[in-house]
Amino acid sequence: MSWAMPSARVRELIRQSAHLVLDPDPEWLHELDTAVLGAHPTIGVDPELAAAVSRSNRANLLFWATANLRDPGAPVPPNTGPEPMGIARELVRRGFDAYALDAYRVGQGVAWRRFMEIAFELTTEPAELHELLDVCSRSIGAFIDATLAAIAAQIDSERDELTRGTHATRRETVSLILDGAPITRSRAEGRLGYALTGTHTAAVLWSADPAADLGDLDRAGEAFGRATGGDQVLSVLASSATRWVWAPGRSTLDADELRAALHSMPQIHVAVGVPGEGLEGFRRSHFGAITTQQMMTRLDSPQRIALFGDIEHVAILTLDADRANAFISRVLGDLEFAEPELQNTVRTFVTAGCNASRAAQRLFLHRNTLLRRLARADTLLPRPLLERSVQVAVALEAVRWRNPQSNAASR
C-alpha cells in the first residue's frame, strides 16, 4: 500500500489522539473485551484464554498509540510482541484455528468508534476531520491486518510443534475418548500409560495470572491425586496454563486436604467433576469439571476450589446472568446485600432441614443467637423464610459463588 504522510496539522491531531488512547477509560476497555470475547463465546468461557485476549487487546492499543506518538501518521508495523504471539499458542493448544481471529475484527470496530469520538472532540473543522479520519482508518486497518497475519503465521508454527512428541499423543487420545470415538480401552491405556478401569475423578486446574509459577499447576495436580487417594495421575496439557487431570481412587475427594495443599499456590484454581466408573465415568467427570470451571469464570468467582456436585444447580441457574440476577433480587430482597455472616446463617439453617438446634450446632452458635439472626433475615426478605426456604437457599448459594463486586454493582 502506498502511504502518503498527512499534513503537519493532522500529524499533531494524531499525536494528541494517541495520548488519549494511551490512557483509556476502564469502561471502554471492558466494552472492547466484551465485544471480542462475545464474538467467539467458546473463548469467552475459558478463563486463561479470555485473560490472554484481554492482555492482547491492551497491548495492541498501546502498540499503535506509542507508534503514533513517535511518528504520527506513519505506517505502524505489526505487533509481534509476547501478548499476540501468546494468543497463537493458546488457540492451537485448544484446537482452534485462525478463524477464531475474526473476533478481533469486532474489536477493531469498537476501537474505531471510540477513535471517532476522540477525533470529534479534537476538531470540528471539516477538512481536518476528513483527513484525520481517513489517515487513521487506513492506519488502524493496516495495523490489524498485519498483526493478525503475524498471529496466523505463528499459529501454523505452533501447530507444527504441537503435532510432535508425547504431549500430542496424550491430547489426541484423550480427545478421542471424550468424543466417544471407537478407540479400544487397551489401546487408549497403552497410549496414555493410565488404567481406564475403576473410579476416576477429573479436574481442571488453571491460572489466569500471566505471572503465575506454572510449575504450581503440576504440583497442584499431584496434590489433587493425593486428595482422591490415587497413586497415579493422568495430566494433559490443555494449554500453557491449564491442565486436565484425572486421578483414580476413592469416590470422595478430601477437599480440606486439597485446600491445605493449595494454600501456598494462590494463583491456582481447581474445578472438580463427579467421580465415575470406567470410560464413561472418565468422560462424564471431565465434562462436569469443565462446566464447573465455566461457571467459576462466568461469575468471576472468588472461590478457588469448586466441586460439580456442590454447584450443579448454581451452574444451571447462572447460565443466563441477567435472569439469575433477577431471580436473586426477587427472592432475597435486601438479604442479597446483607453481611456474609447472616447469609451463611440462613443458608446453614435451610441445609440443616430448617432445624434451629442442628443449625446452631453446625455454626457453633447459641440457639438464641441463631434465632435472632433468622428473625433479622425475615425483616430483609420479601417473604418469610419458611414460606420459600428452598428458593432462598439456592439464591444465597449463587451469591456465595458470585464476585462480591457484582453484588455491590447491583445495588
Side-chain angles (χ1 to χ4, degrees):
M1 180 190 297
S2 60
W3 200 270
M5 291 298 289
S7 64
R9 170 59 182 159
V10 168
R11 279 171 59 85
E12 173 57 24
L13 291 173
I14 293 173
R15 187 189 64 78
Q16 293 176 27
S17 302
H19 264 300
L20 294 173
V21 172
L22 283 173
D23 186 24
D25 187 305
E27 290 186 6
W28 179 58
L29 290 176
H30 177 69
E31 179 189 1
L32 178 63
D33 288 344
T34 300
V36 174
L37 296 174
H40 206 302
T42 311
I43 294 176
V45 298
D46 183 318
E48 184 191 349
L49 191 51
V53 168
S54 179
R55 291 193 298 272
S56 180
N57 285 338
R58 284 150 182 74
N60 287 335
L61 283 174
L62 295 178
F63 190 95
W64 184 88
T66 301
N68 276 284
L69 276 178
R70 185 172 55 249
D71 192 1
V76 179
N79 180 9
T80 56
E83 293 86 0
M85 294 303 101
I87 289 291
R89 180 172 59 255
E90 301 306 341
L91 289 174
V92 169
R93 290 184 176 178
R94 288 163 171 79
F96 293 114
D97 56 24
Y99 174 75
L101 299 178
D102 287 347
Y104 277 90
R105 297 296 182 188
V106 178
Q108 181 182 346
V110 173
W112 178 241
R113 289 196 301 274
R114 174 56 182 150
F115 185 86
M116 285 193 292
E117 292 174 4
I118 292 173
F120 278 91
E121 290 170 3
L122 293 178
T123 181
T124 56
E125 203 284 317
E128 289 181 355
L129 195 56
H130 181 275
E131 185 182 1
L132 173 62
L133 293 177
D134 178 64
V135 170
C136 290
S137 174
R138 289 188 292 116
S139 174
I140 292 172
F143 167 66
I144 294 296
D145 286 347
T147 298
L148 292 184
I151 297 174
Q154 186 67 20
I155 285 176
D156 290 340
S157 174
E158 293 283 345
R159 184 177 291 111
D160 225 25
E161 180 180 339
L162 196 62
T163 53
R164 299 189 295 269
T166 57
H167 165 70
T169 301
R170 276 192 192 178
R171 177 64 187 262
E172 179 190 18
T173 305
V174 163
S175 295
L176 290 172
I177 295 171
L178 297 177
D179 291 343
I183 181 172
T184 65
R185 180 173 60 80
S186 59
R187 181 164 180 250
E189 288 178 338
R191 297 181 74 180
L192 294 174
Y194 176 86
L196 292 167
T197 53
T199 302
H200 309 277
T201 305
V204 179
L205 297 84
W206 78 97
S207 174
D209 185 344
D213 178 359
L214 298 185
D216 281 349
L217 284 169
D218 298 317
R219 288 185 281 274
E222 294 167 2
F224 168 72
R226 291 192 296 272
T228 63
D231 56 0
Q232 178 192 27
V233 173
L234 171 64
S235 179
V236 173
L237 183 67
S239 72
S240 60
T242 300
R243 302 288 186 273
W244 292 348
V245 179
W246 287 262
R250 58 176 180 256
S251 59
T252 56
L253 170 75
D254 189 334
D256 289 337
E257 179 182 345
L258 182 57
R259 287 189 185 92
L262 293 181
H263 183 71
S264 61
M265 309 176 203
Q267 306 305 326
I268 306 301
H269 301 264
V270 181
V272 183
V274 173
E277 295 290 323
L279 276 171
E280 181 56 32
F282 182 94
R283 280 191 289 266
R284 191 168 56 248
S285 188
H286 173 74
F287 293 135
I290 290 291
T291 299
T292 305
Q293 182 201 30
Q294 291 175 348
M295 184 213 74
M296 295 170 75
T297 302
R298 187 166 59 245
L299 300 182
D300 191 19
S301 176
Q303 311 293 336
R304 293 180 53 220
I305 300 175
L307 280 64
F308 180 71
D310 294 339
I311 61 85
E312 183 176 7
H313 60 296
V314 178
I316 295 170
L317 171 65
T318 58
L319 280 173
D320 185 324
D322 291 338
R323 292 180 66 181
N325 288 333
F327 170 79
I328 290 168
S329 297
R330 185 173 65 252
V331 171
L332 296 184
D334 290 337
L335 186 61
E336 179 184 0
F337 309 110
E339 63 274 16
E341 181 182 60
L342 180 59
Q343 293 178 347
N344 185 50
T345 298
V346 174
R347 189 167 51 244
T348 304
F349 173 71
V350 176
T351 57
C354 295
N355 183 303
S357 297
R358 192 181 305 141
Q361 186 176 26
R362 291 182 184 180
L363 291 166
F364 302 101
L365 291 176
H366 191 281
R367 189 174 185 276
N368 289 340
T369 302
L370 177 92
L371 293 175
R372 283 196 296 272
R373 290 186 185 176
L374 294 177
R376 178 165 178 260
D378 264 339
T379 67
L380 301 175
L381 287 165
R383 290 168 56 184
L385 173 61
L386 292 180
E387 288 186 11
R388 54 188 335 194
S389 58
V390 173
Q391 294 96 323
V392 169
V394 170
L396 285 174
E397 190 68 13
V399 168
R400 184 168 79 91
W401 287 98
R402 188 175 63 181
N403 188 319
Q405 293 181 353
S406 300
N407 190 339
S410 60
R411 286 178 184 268

